[in-house]
Amino acid sequence: MLKIIIFILIFINMAENNEAKNNVDKSIDYNDLDIYSDYIKGWEGKSLKAYKPVPTEENFTIGYGHYGSDVQEGDVWSDARADSQLKTDIDDRIPAIKGSIKNFDSLPIDLKKNIVGSWFRGSLSGSPKTIELINQGKYKEASEEFLNNDEYQNAEKLGKSGIIPRMDATANSLLEYGQALDNSDKNL
C-alpha cells in the first residue's frame, strides 16, 4: 500500500511539473523571436559603445538600438550582451503589441516582423490611429496613416533620414497584406 501511495505522489508531482512547464509564458514563439531579432538587426545596426544618434537625444543608445536611462556615456558591451539585450527588449514589447494589435498572432510573419520592428523604434506604438485601423482590418488605410507622421515627414530635417526606408517597409507590408486580403475576398 505504501508503494502505491508513493507511486501516486510521484506521478502527481510529475504531472504538476509538466503542467508548470506547459504554462511557461508563450507570449512569443522563440522561432519568431529569432526572426524579429534578425530583422531589427538589419535596421538598427550595432554599436558596442554608447552613443547618441542625434545630439538632442535625452539618453544614449547601445547594442542594437537599446535606448534608455540605463545606458550611460562610455558604456561598452560585448556582442553577446548586445544580442541578449535585443531579445530581451523584443520580448518585453511583445505583450504590449499583442494587447494592442488584437489579431497579431494570426498575421503573416512578414507583417509581424515589420510591426515588431516599428514598435521597437516607437513609430507604431505612438500611432493609435494606425493601430485602430489595423484592428478594424483596414490595412491599406493603416499603411497611409502610419506615414502620416511628423517624424517621418520631417525625417531629413531632423537628421533621421534612416527611418524613412524602415517606416516605408512597414507601410508596404500593411498595404500588401491589405491587398492580399482584398484579392482573396474577390476569389470567394
Side-chain angles (χ1 to χ4, degrees), residues 181-188:
L181 289 177
D182 286 350
N183 290 337
S184 67
D185 287 345
K186 291 176 186 175
N187 292 330
L188 293 179

Side-chain angles (χ1 to χ4, degrees), residues 14 29 120:
M14 288 173 51
D29 175 322
F120 186 84

Side-chain angles (χ1 to χ4, degrees), residues 48-95:
L48 298 178
K49 185 173 183 199
Y51 71 100
K52 287 189 176 185
V54 178
T56 57
E57 290 286 346
E58 180 180 346
N59 295 305
F60 285 83
T61 299
I62 196 167
Y64 294 103
H66 180 75
Y67 172 87
S69 60
D70 62 320
V71 182
Q72 302 298 313
E73 185 172 9
D75 284 356
V76 177
W77 284 3
S78 66
D79 284 325
R81 170 97 190 263
D83 287 339
S84 174
Q85 186 64 55
L86 175 59
K87 289 184 177 183
T88 298
D89 289 345
I90 294 167
D91 209 23
D92 287 348
R93 287 168 172 84
I94 293 296

Side-chain angles (χ1 to χ4, degrees), residues 152-166:
Y152 174 81
Q153 293 171 353
N154 297 304
E156 298 282 346
K157 284 191 274 185
L158 296 169
K160 297 181 176 184
S161 60
I163 70 168
I164 295 170
R166 187 171 181 173

Side-chain angles (χ1 to χ4, degrees), residues 75-129:
D75 284 356
V76 177
W77 284 3
S78 66
D79 284 325
R81 170 97 190 263
D83 287 339
S84 174
Q85 186 64 55
L86 175 59
K87 289 184 177 183
T88 298
D89 289 345
I90 294 167
D91 209 23
D92 287 348
R93 287 168 172 84
I94 293 296
I97 294 168
K98 289 183 175 188
S100 297
I101 307 219
K102 305 306 178 203
N103 65 335
F104 179 79
D105 286 328
S106 67
L107 296 172
I109 192 64
D110 182 68
L111 182 52
K112 286 168 49 172
K113 73 182 183 185
N114 276 283
I115 287 172
V116 170
S118 287
W119 202 280
F120 186 84
R121 77 160 304 277
S123 52
L124 184 55
S125 58
S127 182
K129 288 181 183 178

Side-chain angles (χ1 to χ4, degrees), residues 1-11:
M1 180 74 167
L2 183 60
K3 288 182 182 180
I4 293 173
I5 292 172
I6 292 172
F7 175 77
I8 291 170
L9 290 173
I10 292 172
F11 182 76

